[in-house]
Amino acid sequence: MLILQCPYCGVDGEETEFHAGGQAHLKRETIGSDDAAFEDYLFMRNNPKGVHFERWRHANGCGKWFHAARCTTTLEIFGTYSAQTTQPPQEICDKIAAKRPGWTLESWKGSAS
């Protein structure tokens, strides 16, 4: 079972206290986008083997959305951070790189597009 920490209220809880919301750091398509871009936004998601950045909501707590860095193969949580950030914090990237030699944020961005 995953144990997540809400970055807003500081509560550590089992994944059943939270609600998964899919891939984090997506470019939201808005008015003026063409149909293909909007279709990609709605339906196309990465499903990597390895490090993944996800959106989570503290459903049985403060109710706020946040992001989490998680390995999809080991279920290891590298950290959680505010949903208002546009990219993962450096300290979380450093934790990932320490456990996954060769991993960089730039390599992740390349696989996320």
Side-chain angles (χ1 to χ4, degrees), residues 80-101:
T80 59
Y81 54 99
S82 166
Q84 285 71 36
T85 59
T86 57
Q87 67 180 21
Q90 188 60 46
E91 66 183 44
I92 291 177
C93 292
D94 292 344
K95 284 182 188 177
I96 296 167
K99 296 242 177 155
R100 308 284 187 283

Side-chain angles (χ1 to χ4, degrees), residues 8 11 13 16-17 20 25 33 40 44-45 49 52 58 64 66 68 81 87 100 102 105 108-109 113:
Y8 297 104
V11 171
T16 55
E17 185 171 328
H25 304 291
S33 298
D40 283 349
M44 302 306 291
R45 297 291 184 266
K49 180 178 180 180
H52 191 54
H58 194 179
K64 293 185 179 179
F66 62 91
Y81 54 99
Q87 67 180 21
R100 308 284 187 283
L105 186 57
W108 171 79
K109 284 180 181 177
S113 54

Side-chain angles (χ1 to χ4, degrees), residues 70-85:
R70 177 176 75 90
C71 179
T72 60
T73 54
T74 65
L75 301 182
E76 180 179 3
I77 303 292
F78 293 101
T80 59
Y81 54 99
S82 166
Q84 285 71 36
T85 59

Side-chain angles (χ1 to χ4, degrees), residues 13-63:
E14 296 177 351
E15 64 188 283
T16 55
E17 185 171 328
F18 301 90
H19 176 76
Q23 185 177 335
H25 304 291
L26 293 174
K27 179 183 179 281
R28 308 295 191 249
E29 297 297 337
T30 60
I31 297 171
S33 298
D34 63 12
D35 289 344
F38 194 64
E39 179 183 12
D40 283 349
Y41 163 68
L42 287 177
F43 301 111
M44 302 306 291
R45 297 291 184 266
N46 292 326
N47 189 17
K49 180 178 180 180
V51 177
H52 191 54
F53 296 95
E54 304 170 321
R55 291 172 41 91
W56 287 83
R57 182 174 174 264
H58 194 179
N60 294 337
C62 66

